Every structure is written in C-alpha cells, then in structure tokens.
Amino acid sequence: MTDTKTAPAAPARPAPRRAVTLRKQRSTIGKQAWVYGGLVLAGAATILPFVWMLLGSFKTQGELLRRPVTWWPQDPTLDNYVRWFTDLHIDRFFMNSLIVAVVTVLGNLLFCSMVGYALAKMDFAGKKVLFLLVMVTLMVPGVVTFVPLFVMVSKLGLVNTYPALILPFLVSPLGVFLMRQFMMGIPDSLIEAARIDGAGELRTFARIVMPLCGPPLATLGILTFLGSWNNFLWPLVAAQSEDKYTLPVALSLFSTGQNATDYGLLLAGSVLVIAPIVALFIALQRFFIQGVAATGIK
C-alpha cells in the first residue's frame, strides 16, 4: 500500500496593487458620476422655470395659449417689454426700488459694520447681553413686527414716503452677526498697534478694519439688496400710492384685473424684476463666496 501525500495548499496570493487601485478609482468615478448627475438634475429643475419665463416673455398671447406648448418663440416679439415702458411706466417703479435698495444697502454696510466692530473688538459693559439680543432677534419672524412698525411710521407721519420704506431696514441682525464674525478673525495686535500710534476708534475702524472687510461687505451688500429688491409685504403696506410703489408691488397689482390673463406681459415684468439682481450676483459672486466661506454662513 502506497502512502499518498497531498501537497499543502498554496497561500492565497494578495490581489495586485494595480488591480486594487483600479477598483478604487472605478468606485470613486461611479460615486462622482452619481453626484454630478444629481447636481445636473437639480440645476435643470431650478433653471427651467426661469428659462420658460424668459422665452415666454418674447411670445404673443396667442402663442402662449396654443396647444401643444412650444418652447421657442415662433414669432418673437418685444411688445410685452414695450408695453411695460410705455403704457405701465415701469421706469418709475424701477427707480423707487433702486432708491430704496441702494440706501438700505449703504445703511446696512455702515451701521452693521459699526455694531459688528463694537461687539468684536471693544470692551464695554453688557456686550454679551447685547450680542445675545442680536441673536434672539434673528429668530423673530419679520412679519410679527409689521403692526408696531406701521404704528410708529404712522405716528411719525412717514406713511407713503421713502423713509417709511427705508428706515425699518437700515440695520439687520444678520448683517451685525456677519460683520462681527468676520471681525473676530482680525488680529487684535493690528488694532492695538493702531491705537498705540495714536489712532482713535473711528480712525482705526475706517482706516484699518474696513479695508480688510471686502468679502463680508460684498456678501452683506448682495443679501441686503436681494432682500430689499424682493421685499413685497412692507412696501405694500407703507406705500399707498403708485408714485411710491416698488417693482414687486407694481407687478402684483398689474397681475390682477384685466391684465391677469395677459401672460406675456406678466412674464416680461417678472424678467425685468429679477434681471438686476441676477446681474448683481454674477458681478459680485466671487466676493459673495469668499464672504460666506470666511464667516461660515450656511
């Protein structure tokens, strides 16, 4: 009887490093493809209504009501835009919105920066309590302040004036928080050096601190301009005649009555309302992103 011996099994050879690397790369590429695919779908779902609005503003009323629906204008026309400037005088509402938005932005840039500097770099009694109050006001819905605000404006005799549209929004808690958070990152030694050289607080603020605050100022300016430009409820309450109406109020009023079914006119008006803020964001998006990244606003 012969003794048969089986050879021991060979140890499993580890997968070649190159194969492992390729599997990891394929897995990474697959995950990135899913992420990019999701982002493309989300972007398309966001942009398509605006594309439809822009294309529809160049269509005639008959084409907008035609079935099946067409995407591209078959007979492009500028009549909808011409009517806004000739019959409805949108330039007057545009100027009202521009005056209110620009003055509100300038007020926020100045006052929010000053308050933010005081909370970030100055020592005084009640500083923490004051900052806590600012944080609390961030959580208060703006609508609940409309009645007391209107009573105050009415008592001051400012109803249907530009100050009534501007004064309640010259300082915002979000702006104070944004500026304070950015200024906290400015080295104290820089400010102390300016004080030792004899600069007062106002000069230190204007010459040393403000030149370093470009990104948060741009972010605050864009956010404030957007909020003021799109503000609807307060101008609807405080402006009581057409000569003080802002663009959103005018657009809402012209979307009722006989113009309610003039879809081309309404689409053109919507394009005119959002065009300035889109242009502003495109021009300042670099500063906006830097400001958001620097202050940690989500």
Side-chain angles (χ1 to χ4, degrees):
M1 185 175 178
T2 59
D3 188 13
T4 58
K5 295 182 178 179
T6 56
R13 297 177 60 186
R17 179 176 299 180
R18 180 178 177 81
V20 174
T21 304
L22 285 175
R23 281 200 297 270
K24 288 183 178 178
Q25 288 179 348
R26 288 170 183 168
S27 175
T28 303
I29 292 173
K31 291 178 181 177
Q32 289 180 345
W34 279 105
V35 172
Y36 288 137
L39 290 175
V40 169
L41 288 177
T46 304
I47 292 175
L48 275 180
F50 294 97
V51 175
W52 171 258
M53 178 180 67
L54 178 63
L55 295 176
S57 66
F58 294 103
K59 295 179 182 177
T60 61
Q61 180 73 357
E63 187 176 351
L64 285 168
L65 298 176
R66 188 183 305 165
R67 296 293 182 272
V69 176
T70 59
W71 268 94
W72 295 100
Q74 303 298 314
D75 299 310
T77 178
L78 293 175
D79 287 347
N80 297 319
Y81 291 97
V82 173
R83 288 180 59 195
W84 272 106
F85 286 99
T86 56
D87 299 340
L88 304 179
H89 302 290
I90 196 174
D91 51 337
R92 180 177 57 206
F93 310 125
F94 185 89
M95 285 305 299
N96 289 340
S97 287
L98 190 63
I99 291 172
V100 173
V102 169
V103 177
T104 304
V105 168
L106 294 177
N108 271 267
L109 294 182
L110 176 61
F111 298 123
C112 292
S113 300
M114 296 175 74
V115 178
Y117 174 71
L119 292 176
K121 296 298 179 185
M122 297 178 70
D123 293 324
F124 55 90
K127 175 180 168 181
K128 292 184 179 179
V129 176
L130 182 60
F131 181 65
L132 181 62
L133 289 175
V134 172
M135 298 301 294
V136 169
T137 54
L138 273 174
M139 305 173 192
V140 178
V143 179
V144 301
T145 63
F146 273 19
V147 173
L149 267 180
F150 184 78
V151 172
M152 292 173 59
V153 169
S154 179
K155 294 282 186 185
L156 294 172
L158 298 177
V159 175
N160 202 36
T161 62
Y162 286 125
L165 301 174
I166 296 170
L167 286 177
F169 305 101
L170 278 181
V171 182
S172 67
L174 177 62
V176 172
F177 173 74
L178 189 151
M179 297 307 300
R180 186 251 185 196
Q181 292 302 105
F182 183 83
M183 290 178 181
M184 288 287 289
I186 297 177
D188 292 337
S189 57
L190 191 63
I191 297 175
E192 290 297 331
R195 290 170 179 166
I196 292 172
D197 289 341
E201 290 297 338
L202 185 59
R203 189 173 183 182
T204 303
F205 169 75
R207 297 291 184 86
I208 304 297
V209 177
M210 289 300 284
L212 300 174
C213 297
L217 287 175
T219 305
L220 177 59
I222 293 174
L223 293 177
T224 306
F225 191 89
L226 290 178
S228 178
W229 192 267
N230 295 325
N231 193 3
F232 171 72
L233 285 179
W234 179 251
L236 181 65
V237 173
Q240 299 183 350
S241 63
E242 283 196 10
D243 62 325
K244 293 295 183 298
Y245 284 167
T246 56
L247 276 174
V249 177
L251 183 62
S252 71
L253 294 179
F254 286 123
S255 64
T256 59
Q258 61 180 0
N259 294 320
T261 56
D262 197 339
Y263 302 118
L265 185 70
L266 298 179
L267 291 173
S270 301
V271 172
L272 292 173
V273 169
I274 68 170
I277 55 178
V278 172
L280 180 70
F281 179 77
I282 292 174
L284 299 177
Q285 62 174 328
R286 181 167 61 90
F287 298 102
F288 180 77
I289 294 172
Q290 287 178 358
V292 171
T295 54
I297 292 179
K298 302 296 183 184

